[in-house]
Amino acid sequence: MDTLANLAMGFGVALTPYTLFLAFCGCFLGTIIGALPGLGPSNGVAILIPLAFALGLDATQALVLLTSVYYGTMYGGRISSILLNIPGDEPAMMTTLDGFPMARQGRAGDALVISGVASFTGSFLSTVGLVVIAPILASIAYLFGPAEYFALYLLAFATLGGMTSNNQAKSAFAACLGLGLAMIGLDNSTGLPRYTGGNLHLMDGIDFLVAIVGLFAIAEIFIFIESHGRNSAIGVTLGKLTIPWGDLKATFGTMMRSTGLGFVAGVLPGAGASLGSFMAYMAEKSYVGAKGNFGKGDPRGVAAPEAGNNAAAGGAMVPMLTLGVPGSGTTAVMLALLMTLNITPGPLLFKEQPEIVWGLIASLFIANIVLLIMNVPMVKLFVKILMVPAWVLMPMVTMVSFVGIFSLTGSYFDMLLMIAFGVLGYILRKLDVPTVPVILGILLGGQMEDALRRAMVISNGDWTFLFSTPIAVGLWAFAVLGFLAPMFLRKMLKRPPVPDSANED
Amino acid sequence: MASDRIFGLVVVIGALAFFAGALAIQTSFMSDPLGPRVFPILISGASLLCGLAMLARPDPDPEWPARAAWMSMSVALVVLVAYAYTIVPLGFLIPTAIASAAIGYLIEPKAVQSAVMGAALSVVLFVIFKFGLGLGLFAFPRALMG
């Protein structure tokens, strides 16, 4: 009952005409951002954060706007997957497998409606899951002291690169790079400068928004210039839209199963939406077995990944809100948003600022419903917007990034820093070094060091204190396991099965 | 192979420099047991291991862009830096139009199309930012506006 009362309070905070208007704007923008190839959930939300501040929105309003954008991008990614065979963002990759064949069979409209409903099911139910699980996890998180938090941060860094990157050394380096950048500025406890080189601009440290916009948005500009915008959209046709009730009924079970899987993938650290949609698709394929028409336009192949990735997006909010440790790139950006709003996620948030948590959760529900209403009938409009060519889109992204950072900090130094991060992001992308751990390092570096130093204050410099409780030891074990496991799993997955004859000699 | 070897070397040198930087951090007599140096030293140690791992087991080379693409990207970089320096003294409209046109041209080299797009984008964004979102932007050089 407590939960329901809290939820009612959340809706009280989030259901004002102005916030509804913001939710509507956010959903609209988010769907467009998700649909446009080259703009995904992370960089889409990133370039809008500075603008949300420049607008002078209060915490709840900013949260409503940007969570709507976040959820909107998860819906939007499917549009270009289905119509163009180009995933609008990474999690929508699996949707191309059956979505595009459906579009070629003239069933683009059906595929869009099915995936829209699947997206809704996935994210709505996972938000319900968030409501149920988050308070429980928050009450466990109360037991966490500095030693546990240090281990938890380590776990987040160890697993974040794991599943998506190909080289553990590179993802570990990315985390170190971020942590190192977080050291720049005044030291919290002694007040003395570190790594500033005497530069006054660096005394406050590097603003993580500058780093995020640089690494995600400005780096994308270089990628587009290199490829001459070859990935942009041309020639899309979409017939009359009808609602395929039969298919919706037939895929109901698929949506439910995929939602469950996706949610679990989202809650686990380091998995995120891409893995959620991948797992959901593969599981559904093997569940249906030979009867299925997967890869050739099976509606279940559209419903499964979409429900999976949206459910994972909701699930990823659980560790971010309760522990302050995001499990994916986009939740890292959401954490940046909360930190700029001076909100520290974690168990205390549930106790001390319940109106923020529950307002946020209520706004997730609102965003979902707005998105369903918007996405099914208005999909034609989004398809039109999808035709914006890269040579218009990229200058626009550049200018919005610059204006956002400029109006946030008002300094040319930060704009230069943003460009530098853009160059760094391009080089890292080329070398297959993931950029999300860099962001997470910059975001969490200060807190991670604080946790370690507080632990040492408590134990008076005794390092064994870090392993003194069962929770801490467990987290360390998972961190080591999470870091090492992908190395072996990757070998097993990629190495082709050895033919029998090879074993004889 | 070569790319990762060079990158690994850069990482190793960077890690050593970060370590040297950590030793140079001033510390105060009132510090906590750990002090401000230990965590950066841990980071430099971890980066050093990563750099050595990259040197030992480099990935295959990525597909680096051709010379022309490098040129385009350098031009884009110069344009962006110039934009950062000029947006305050010259106002929003003129630098934005030039920078957008340049980036558009670099993605699709059609001069007239890019110029028109740049000018239009600059005006549209100015109206949205200034009047829609209420940001404090100046259209033209402040000296001219008085």
Side-chain angles (χ1 to χ4, degrees):
Chain A
M1 276 339 275
D2 212 21
T3 309
L4 284 182
N6 281 327
L7 203 56
M9 176 195 64
F11 276 105
V13 174
L15 265 182
T16 66
Y18 188 54
T19 43
L20 277 180
F21 169 73
L22 287 174
F24 187 83
C25 293
C27 291
F28 188 76
L29 271 176
T31 312
I32 296 173
I33 288 170
L36 290 167
L39 272 179
S42 312
N43 48 17
V45 178
I47 60 171
L48 290 177
I49 293 178
L51 280 181
F53 281 96
L55 278 172
L57 297 177
D58 69 26
T60 319
Q61 291 164 347
L63 276 177
V64 170
L65 178 68
L66 290 159
T67 48
S68 310
V69 174
Y70 174 36
Y71 269 35
T73 54
M74 302 309 290
Y75 276 73
R78 74 192 212 286
I79 298 178
S80 56
S81 296
I82 290 170
L83 294 176
L84 307 171
N85 201 18
I86 300 167
D89 47 48
E90 203 196 342
M93 204 129 73
M94 304 306 287
T95 315
T96 56
L97 297 181
D98 279 282
F100 188 61
M102 274 185 87
R104 272 202 306 210
Q105 293 158 17
R107 298 185 62 203
D110 290 358
L112 284 171
V113 175
I114 293 169
S115 59
V117 174
S119 297
F120 174 78
T121 316
S123 47
F124 195 85
L125 290 180
S126 76
T127 313
V128 174
L130 169 69
V131 169
V132 175
I133 289 185
I136 301 172
L137 199 58
S139 59
I140 295 174
Y142 260 116
L143 304 172
F144 280 34
E148 284 82 4
Y149 264 106
F150 183 74
L152 183 67
Y153 291 133
L154 209 67
L155 172 67
F157 287 118
T159 49
L160 192 59
M163 291 300 169
T164 42
S165 117
N166 298 317
N167 185 330
Q168 290 299 73
K170 285 181 174 175
S171 40
F173 166 69
C176 291
L177 181 61
L179 290 172
L181 289 168
M183 294 300 106
I184 295 173
L186 294 183
D187 172 35
N188 272 340
S189 58
T190 58
L192 293 166
R194 295 195 282 185
Y195 297 105
T196 58
N199 188 328
L200 280 181
H201 292 293
L202 289 175
M203 286 292 179
D204 284 339
I206 290 175
D207 192 325
F208 42 74
L209 286 178
V210 173
I212 291 175
V213 175
L215 285 174
F216 287 156
I218 304 293
E220 197 68 43
I221 296 166
F222 291 113
I223 301 269
F224 262 77
I225 290 175
E226 184 196 338
S227 67
H228 280 283
R230 245 178 270 130
N231 293 333
S232 61
I234 336 138
V236 186
T237 47
L238 180 63
K240 200 169 175 292
L241 267 185
T242 50
I243 297 180
W245 293 108
D247 282 333
L248 286 181
K249 215 182 230 169
T251 54
F252 181 77
T254 307
M255 289 180 196
M256 290 297 141
R257 285 189 289 277
S258 308
T259 300
L261 265 178
F263 185 71
V264 173
V267 173
L268 293 177
S274 309
L275 192 73
S277 67
F278 179 77
M279 274 173 45
Y281 184 86
M282 296 316 273
E284 193 59 25
K285 195 173 165 182
S286 49
Y287 178 83
V288 173
K291 284 177 286 171
N293 200 10
F294 282 83
K296 298 189 196 85
D298 193 311
R300 282 167 295 194
V302 176
E306 277 305 311
N309 85 36
N310 284 271
M317 303 288 278
V318 175
M320 198 271 275
L321 281 176
T322 52
L323 301 169
V325 177
S328 67
T330 322
T331 38
V333 179
M334 293 296 289
L335 177 67
L337 166 69
L338 289 171
M339 285 165 69
T340 343
L341 289 166
N342 260 333
I343 300 167
T344 320
L348 285 177
L349 184 64
F350 281 77
K351 192 131 215 171
E352 285 166 6
Q353 291 172 298
E355 70 285 356
I356 302 239
V357 183
W358 295 101
L360 172 68
I361 290 173
S363 66
L364 293 176
F365 280 115
I366 296 169
N368 257 311
I369 292 165
V370 173
L371 279 164
L372 180 70
I373 296 169
M374 197 184 267
N375 257 279
V376 175
M378 283 170 69
V379 84
K380 283 204 156 168
L381 179 66
F382 291 122
V383 173
K384 284 250 161 58
I385 295 172
L386 201 61
M387 314 254 250
V388 172
W391 55 270
V392 178
L393 179 66
M394 277 301 131
M396 209 154 86
V397 170
T398 320
M399 298 311 147
V400 174
S401 308
F402 270 86
V403 172
I405 292 298
F406 177 65
S407 55
L408 190 70
T409 68
S411 100
Y412 78 95
F413 182 79
D414 279 330
M415 288 193 270
L416 294 179
L417 205 56
M418 174 181 83
I419 300 170
F421 272 108
V423 175
L424 177 72
Y426 172 79
I427 295 170
L428 293 182
R429 281 260 291 267
K430 274 282 158 192
L431 288 168
D432 203 19
V433 179
T435 47
V436 173
V438 182
I439 300 286
L440 205 60
I442 298 177
L443 275 174
L444 297 179
Q447 291 172 30
M448 188 171 175
E449 187 189 13
D450 260 9
L452 181 64
R453 285 166 85 166
R454 268 186 293 133
M456 289 301 118
V457 170
I458 295 170
S459 70
N460 212 0
D462 180 6
W463 288 85
T464 54
F465 179 71
L466 291 178
F467 312 98
S468 59
T469 66
I471 297 180
V473 173
L475 290 169
W476 276 87
F478 276 117
V480 173
L481 205 72
F483 187 73
L484 296 179
M487 296 188 202
F488 298 105
L489 284 180
R490 214 171 285 139
K491 262 185 206 152
M492 275 168 44
L493 288 176
K494 286 211 178 132
R495 187 174 291 167
V498 187
D500 285 340
S501 59
N503 291 333
E504 283 165 15
D505 46 30
Chain B
M1 299 291 263
S3 304
D4 262 22
R5 289 250 155 83
I6 296 168
F7 185 61
L9 202 62
V10 172
V11 170
V12 168
I13 294 169
L16 292 176
F18 200 77
F19 178 71
L23 292 183
I25 293 170
Q26 284 178 288
T27 157
S28 131
F29 66 95
M30 276 174 47
S31 174
D32 49 309
L34 206 60
R37 288 180 189 165
V38 176
F39 195 65
I41 291 175
L42 290 178
I43 297 171
S44 72
S47 326
L48 187 68
L49 289 180
C50 297
L52 292 175
M54 284 180 231
L55 282 175
R57 306 187 62 182
D59 287 339
D61 264 346
E63 228 180 89
W64 289 107
R67 181 167 304 202
W70 278 120
M71 281 302 295
S72 306
M73 284 188 283
S74 319
V75 173
L77 183 62
V78 171
V79 168
L80 292 179
V81 171
Y83 182 64
Y85 274 109
T86 50
I87 183 168
V88 178
L90 294 185
F92 183 81
L93 285 181
I94 299 164
T96 305
I98 295 173
S100 329
I103 289 170
Y105 182 80
L106 289 169
I107 291 174
E108 197 166 306
K110 288 179 187 160
V112 179
Q113 170 188 291
S114 304
V116 172
M117 182 276 295
L121 191 65
S122 142
V123 173
V124 170
L125 285 181
F126 182 77
V127 171
I128 293 176
F129 287 142
K130 175 96 187 178
F131 302 107
L133 304 182
L135 302 184
L137 296 175
F138 291 90
F140 292 106
R142 255 174 266 186
L144 287 181
M145 308 270 284

